[in-house]
Amino acid sequence: MAVTLPKRELKTEENLHYVKPLTEITGVTFESYVLAGDGLTDWTQSSNPNTEDGQYIHEKTQHSNMLGYAGSVSYSGIAYPSDPFNYWIYLIGKNEIVGAQFEEIEVETWNSTEAGKYKAYKHIYEVQPDNPGSGEGGAKLAIEGTFAQQGSVVPGVFDISTKTFTADSEQQDELKNLKKQ
């Protein structure tokens, strides 16, 4: 299936972030994926490539070889207790919980694969708060920190109406099974 790409710049809000905590925290529950957003003003991803640099004795210049990725997201915003994901992040920092993780599906709403389904990427992140909810007098409580990627990204498709993610490898297996029947 050919993808029709937009002939314009893309905006941040066209990549939605659906999240589901893997670490339970008392007072915050999740039935399925929820849309992250309320209170968060920055979600900047970094690939953070790991490289090995060197220079052999016969070379005039150095070389750099990429070995892998150490993906992360810098997040910031304000504490927003009526949003379950934001409140979950807030509680992790305030209670100094170590190792809290969540699943995130980054959905490209500009990249439809079929009606209601979009190209998506699944990540597992660990929450590493820097500011658990504090700030200057008279200001809103700030939250900020890093979501450190755990493992590799999984490409696939997300159905927004059913909130289900299907990995590309699962889709290929389903097609093979249909052809066998």
Side-chain angles (χ1 to χ4, degrees), residues 149-161:
Q149 186 173 318
Q150 309 294 301
S152 298
V153 63
V154 179
V157 172
F158 190 72
D159 184 324
I160 289 182
S161 62

Side-chain angles (χ1 to χ4, degrees), residues 11-164:
K11 294 185 176 186
T12 302
E13 62 269 16
E14 292 180 284
N15 275 12
L16 301 178
H17 304 279
Y18 282 87
V19 295
K20 180 171 60 175
L22 301 174
T23 304
E24 291 185 29
I25 295 179
T26 304
V28 185
T29 58
F30 292 82
E31 300 288 323
S32 63
Y33 291 101
V34 297
L35 183 61
D38 285 345
L40 294 174
T41 56
D42 186 20
W43 184 296
T44 302
Q45 290 179 278
S46 298
S47 295
N48 301 321
N50 292 322
T51 60
E52 176 182 68
D53 300 330
Q55 183 174 350
Y56 298 122
I57 59 172
H58 71 287
E59 295 178 322
K60 292 182 182 179
T61 59
Q62 286 188 331
H63 60 267
S64 181
N65 300 316
M66 192 165 89
L67 303 174
Y69 294 97
S72 67
V73 171
S74 295
Y75 71 89
S76 64
I78 57 169
Y80 204 93
S82 64
D83 179 82
F85 182 65
N86 186 298
Y87 189 52
W88 182 79
I89 295 169
Y90 172 81
L91 290 174
I92 289 167
K94 284 301 186 185
N95 292 299
E96 297 181 349
I97 297 170
V98 175
Q101 294 184 349
F102 69 95
E103 199 171 83
E104 180 245 0
I105 310 294
E106 181 183 5
V107 180
E108 295 178 339
T109 60
W110 52 271
N111 195 353
S112 178
T113 60
E114 58 185 279
K117 296 181 180 181
Y118 302 90
K119 183 68 185 162
Y121 301 89
K122 179 180 173 179
H123 302 90
I124 304 265
Y125 288 113
E126 178 184 85
V127 180
Q128 300 173 349
D130 288 328
N131 181 347
S134 63
E136 61 187 50
K140 296 177 181 179
L141 289 178
I143 59 170
E144 52 196 359
T146 302
F147 300 142
Q149 186 173 318
Q150 309 294 301
S152 298
V153 63
V154 179
V157 172
F158 190 72
D159 184 324
I160 289 182
S161 62
T162 62
K163 294 184 179 156
T164 54

